[in-house]
Amino acid sequence: MKLLENAQLEALSSALSVETGDCRIDGRLESYSCKMAGNDKRLFKTISHEPGMAPNDLQALSPPQGMLAHSPSRQYSRSQSDDGDGPLCDTISTKTLFYLISTLNASFNPDYDFSNAKGEDFSKEPSLTWVANAIDSQLFATAGEAFGALKQQFWAALDEEISLKDCDIYSYNPDLSSDPYGEEGSIWSFNYFFYNKKLKRIVFFTCRAASGGGPPGVDSGMGSDIGMEFEDGFDYMYEDEDRNTPVGEVY
C-alpha cells in the first residue's frame, strides 16, 4: 500500500488531534493506493496460500457493532455455501481483506503488525449515513461545537478524495490484545476504511479519545486553523442510497 500525499487530509488530521476538556482526541486521515509494494506482495502470497484463502474466496465478517440491536431485519449472505449450512454474515474477498490488513500495517508501522488479522476482526458497515452519524455523534459528544465547525469540511474533503457514494465502508473491531488503542486510559476509538474499488484506493480514518487532556474549560482548538485549508461554500450534504436521509444528521 502506498500512502498518497493529500494536504487537506493532513490538515484535518492535525485539526482532529487536540486536547479538549479532560481528554485528548487523536485523529488521523490517510489515503492509500491499493498498489502492492514489496512487503505487500510477500504478505499477499502468504495469505493466499492458506487453506480457504484464495484471492476470490469469501471470508466471513463480524456484524457491525450495535447494528443488529437497531436493525434486526438486516440481511446477511451465507459465508460458506448456498446449501444453507453456512452461518449468516457479511463476507469479503480474500483480496479485499488483504487490502484492509495492509492498510493497518502501513498506518501503524512499525509499532504493530496486523498480518494475522482475520475476517472476523472486521465488519462491513451498512451505509454511508450510518457511518457518518456514528462518527459525527462520537466527535460531537467529545468535542462539541468545535467539531461542528469542522464537520462540513471534513466530509467534503473525504468525498473529494474517495468519492463516498462509490465506497464500501469497513471497520476494524479487534479484541483488546490486538487493539492498537487498547492501552489503559483509552475512552473510545474507531477505525474506518472507505474503499473505492474503481479508484483502487482506501481512505483510512482512525480516531481515539484518551483520558489526560487539558484542564476543564480549555478550548480544544479543533478547527481553529483548518478553515484556511479549504474554500468556503460547502453547503451540501451527502445522502444515503435511498436519497432520503442527509449524512451527518445526528439522531
Side-chain angles (χ1 to χ4, degrees):
M1 306 293 283
K2 180 182 179 182
L3 179 65
L4 304 175
E5 294 185 6
N6 185 304
Q8 291 184 344
L9 298 189
E10 290 175 8
L12 282 165
S13 296
S14 178
L16 288 165
S17 298
V18 293
E19 292 184 357
T20 173
D22 58 355
C23 71
R24 175 173 179 82
I25 298 174
D26 293 301
R28 194 149 38 89
L29 274 165
E30 297 170 334
S31 181
Y32 290 92
S33 165
C34 293
K35 183 177 180 180
M36 296 185 193
N39 290 337
D40 296 322
K41 292 178 180 178
R42 286 190 288 273
L43 177 59
F44 184 62
K45 184 176 181 180
T46 299
I47 291 176
S48 297
H49 279 76
E50 295 181 10
M53 294 290 280
N56 293 323
D57 284 351
L58 296 180
Q59 310 303 320
L61 299 172
S62 292
Q65 290 188 338
M67 185 61 196
L68 290 179
H70 293 279
S71 183
S73 62
R74 170 110 160 103
Q75 298 297 309
Y76 294 94
S77 58
R78 294 194 179 274
S79 64
Q80 295 178 1
S81 66
D82 296 328
D83 59 9
D85 294 333
L88 289 172
C89 60
D90 273 323
T91 57
I92 190 174
S93 71
T94 299
K95 190 169 187 179
T96 302
L97 176 61
F98 162 79
Y99 288 150
L100 303 187
I101 293 172
S102 293
T103 297
L104 288 171
N105 280 337
S107 185
F108 289 99
N109 180 60
D111 298 319
Y112 296 90
D113 183 3
F114 301 88
S115 300
N116 293 322
K118 304 298 181 183
E120 62 194 29
D121 297 321
F122 298 87
S123 302
K124 185 176 182 180
E125 299 301 318
S127 71
L128 173 58
T129 298
W130 178 271
V131 172
N133 285 338
I135 290 173
D136 290 349
S137 297
Q138 193 69 76
L139 289 174
F140 267 126
T142 307
E145 286 305 315
F147 175 70
L150 184 67
K151 186 180 73 170
Q152 273 191 310
Q153 297 166 347
F154 174 89
W155 290 108
L158 257 66
D159 190 54
E160 181 178 337
E161 176 66 13
I162 200 68
S163 186
L164 290 168
K165 66 181 178 63
D166 297 323
C167 288
D168 289 324
I169 307 175
Y170 300 93
S171 60
Y172 176 59
N173 306 298
D175 57 31
L176 283 178
S177 63
S178 305
D179 190 349
Y181 299 136
E183 72 271 16
E184 184 177 355
S186 182
I187 301 172
W188 55 258
S189 64
F190 55 70
N191 304 276
Y192 288 109
F193 307 81
F194 299 84
Y195 172 48
N196 188 315
K197 187 175 182 179
K198 295 178 182 178
L199 295 178
K200 297 182 180 180
R201 184 182 303 170
I202 289 175
V203 168
F204 179 51
F205 180 32
T206 179
C207 191
R208 72 160 178 179
S211 59
V218 173
D219 183 9
S220 71
M222 182 179 287
S224 58
D225 299 321
I226 191 70
M228 299 300 294
E229 303 291 337
F230 298 89
E231 297 178 358
D232 294 330
F234 291 115
D235 295 326
Y236 55 88
M237 288 287 195
Y238 303 107
E239 297 178 342
D240 67 358
E241 291 82 355
D242 62 13
R243 317 306 293 174
N244 290 324
T245 308
V247 166
E249 182 177 328
V250 180
Y251 299 106

